[in-house]
Amino acid sequence: MSTTTPREVTTGPAPVRPRRSLRAHSTLAFWLFTGPFLIGLLIFVYVPILWSAWLSFFEARFTVTPSEFVGFENYRTMLTDDDFTGSLVTFTVFAVIIVPTTWALSLALALAVNRLRFMRAFFRSVFFLPTAVSYVAASLIWKMSIFNGVRFGLANTVLGWFGADDTAWLASPDPPWYWLVVVTVRLWLQAGFYMILFLAALQNIPPELYEAAAIDGAKPGWQMFRHITLPQLRATSTAVVLLLLVAAYQAFDEFFNLLSKTTWGRPPLVELYYKALGDNQDYGAGSAGALILTLLICLVTLLQGRIMGFGRSEGAK
C-alpha cells in the first residue's frame, strides 16, 4: 500500500528586492558634505606644510623649486641668528605676561556676568563683541586714536589732565611703552571669547555643591570660589591656558601693524615673514624657522598640559 505525500504549496507575496541600505546613504552624504572641506584642507594646509618641510633642507632664495640640498644648514643658520632667537625669548616673555592676564580678566568677567540677575545676555554680548573685530582694524584704532603719541591721542589727552607730558608709545624700545599698547589690544580682542568658555563652565556647576558648602560653614566669596568654583573650572582653565599659549606664539597682526617700521619688538612670525619675504626672500631659512617655532609650540604646550593635567581623568592622581 503506497502513500503519497502532498507537495507543500507556499502562498504569499513575491519577494521584494532589498533597497539600498541607510548606511550607504549616510556614507554618501558624509562625503558630499565633508569632501570639499577635506580637499581644501589638503591643498591649502597639509601640502604647504609638507612643502615647507621639504624647502627647509634646500638652498631656496627667490625660488620655491630649489635643487641644491644643504641638509640642516638652514636650521643652524636660524638657531644662530640673533634676531630669530631674540624674538623667541622676547615673546616667550610676552606669553608669560598675556596668558595669566587674559585668564584672570576673562574669569573675572565670567564671574561678574554670571552673578547678574538682569540684562545678562546684553553684557555677555557686549564683552564678546570685540572678538568679531579684525586684529588689523583694532591695531590701527589703538595706534591712530588711543596711543597716537601726540597730544590729541586719547591716552595722552587723559595724561595731560594730570599734568603729564606726551608719551611716544610706539617710538622707542626704551622705555618699552609699546608693551602696554600690544597687551591692551590683545586683551580687548580675546578676553570676551574666553569669558564665554568660563561662563559656560560656571553654569554647569551643580548648585548643590554651594548649598552643601554653606551648610558646612563655608562663607560666600573667597572660600566658595577657592574650594568650589575654582576646582570645578580645572578642565576649562587648562583648555583656556593651552589656547592662550598657542595664540601668544602665533601673534602677528597687531605687532606687524603697530611696529611695522621698527627692527625691535618683532614676534617670531613677523621675523619669519621678513626672512622669507624680505629683500633676500630666503624661503629655505624661513621654512626652517617655521618648523623650529612649530616644534617649540608643541613642546611648550605638551609641558604645560602635563603640568596642569590636561586629559587626566578626575580620579587619576
Side-chain angles (χ1 to χ4, degrees), residues 48-61 69-82 84-85 88 272 275 282-296:
I49 290 175
L50 295 176
W51 191 266
S52 179
W54 184 76
L55 282 178
S56 66
F57 296 101
F58 288 83
E59 177 69 24
R61 292 180 184 271
F69 180 79
V70 295
F72 291 94
E73 181 64 24
N74 288 323
Y75 292 90
R76 187 192 66 80
T77 300
M78 295 304 297
L79 290 174
T80 56
D81 187 351
D82 292 337
F84 180 69
T85 55
L88 293 177
L272 292 176
K275 174 67 69 174
D282 194 345
Y283 298 112
S287 298
L291 289 179
I292 293 172
L293 180 61
T294 301
L295 291 176
L296 178 62

Side-chain angles (χ1 to χ4, degrees), residues 5 86 177 204 267:
T5 304
W177 292 116
N204 286 330

Side-chain angles (χ1 to χ4, degrees), residues 30-300:
F30 171 80
W31 286 111
L32 285 176
F33 280 100
T34 62
F37 171 77
L38 293 177
I39 293 174
L41 189 67
L42 178 65
I43 295 175
F44 297 107
V45 177
Y46 292 113
V47 170
I49 290 175
L50 295 176
W51 191 266
S52 179
W54 184 76
L55 282 178
S56 66
F57 296 101
F58 288 83
E59 177 69 24
R61 292 180 184 271
F62 302 99
T63 180
V64 294
T65 57
S67 58
E68 183 180 352
F69 180 79
V70 295
F72 291 94
E73 181 64 24
N74 288 323
Y75 292 90
R76 187 192 66 80
T77 300
M78 295 304 297
L79 290 174
T80 56
D81 187 351
D82 292 337
D83 292 334
F84 180 69
T85 55
S87 69
L88 293 177
V89 174
T90 300
F91 286 90
T92 298
V93 176
F94 169 68
V96 172
I97 296 173
I98 196 65
V99 170
T101 306
T102 306
W103 180 88
L105 178 60
S106 57
L107 178 57
L109 291 175
L111 291 171
V113 173
N114 193 50
R115 287 179 173 271
L116 293 176
R117 300 303 179 187
F118 62 95
M119 298 183 67
R120 177 183 296 180
F122 170 78
F123 285 102
R124 182 175 56 197
S125 301
V126 167
F127 291 134
F128 181 76
L129 192 60
T131 306
V133 179
S134 166
Y135 273 65
V136 176
S139 301
L140 294 177
I141 293 172
W142 250 245
K143 182 177 182 178
M144 300 175 66
S145 299
I146 300 178
F147 297 96
N148 191 278
V150 298
R151 64 190 183 94
F152 298 107
L154 179 60
N156 282 335
T157 299
V158 174
L159 291 177
W161 295 343
F162 300 94
D165 297 331
D166 294 339
T167 301
W169 302 98
L170 301 171
S172 172
D174 188 23
W177 292 116
Y178 68 93
W179 280 112
L180 178 63
V181 185
V182 171
V183 170
T184 53
V185 68
R186 175 59 76 98
L187 284 174
W188 183 72
L189 285 167
Q190 67 182 10
F193 172 76
Y194 298 104
M195 178 206 70
I196 295 297
L197 299 183
F198 278 123
L199 189 60
L202 287 171
Q203 294 174 352
N204 286 330
I205 298 177
E208 294 81 6
L209 294 178
Y210 294 101
E211 296 174 1
I215 294 174
D216 290 339
K219 297 180 180 179
W222 172 248
Q223 286 187 344
M224 288 285 193
F225 174 76
R226 178 184 176 184
H227 297 288
I228 303 296
T229 305
L230 199 56
Q232 292 294 316
L233 296 178
R234 178 184 178 86
T236 304
S237 295
T238 303
V240 166
V241 172
L242 284 174
L243 293 173
L244 287 171
L245 196 62
V246 174
Y249 278 98
Q250 292 179 336
F252 178 84
D253 292 331
E254 62 268 47
F255 290 98
F256 185 80
N257 288 279
L258 291 172
L259 307 172
S260 57
K261 297 181 179 180
T262 64
T263 57
W264 39 265
R266 290 179 178 178
L269 287 185
V270 174
E271 191 64 37
L272 292 176
Y273 174 83
Y274 284 109
K275 174 67 69 174
L277 300 176
D279 296 334
N280 294 326
Q281 293 190 9
D282 194 345
Y283 298 112
S287 298
L291 289 179
I292 293 172
L293 180 61
T294 301
L295 291 176
L296 178 62
I297 293 175
C298 291
L299 289 175
V300 174

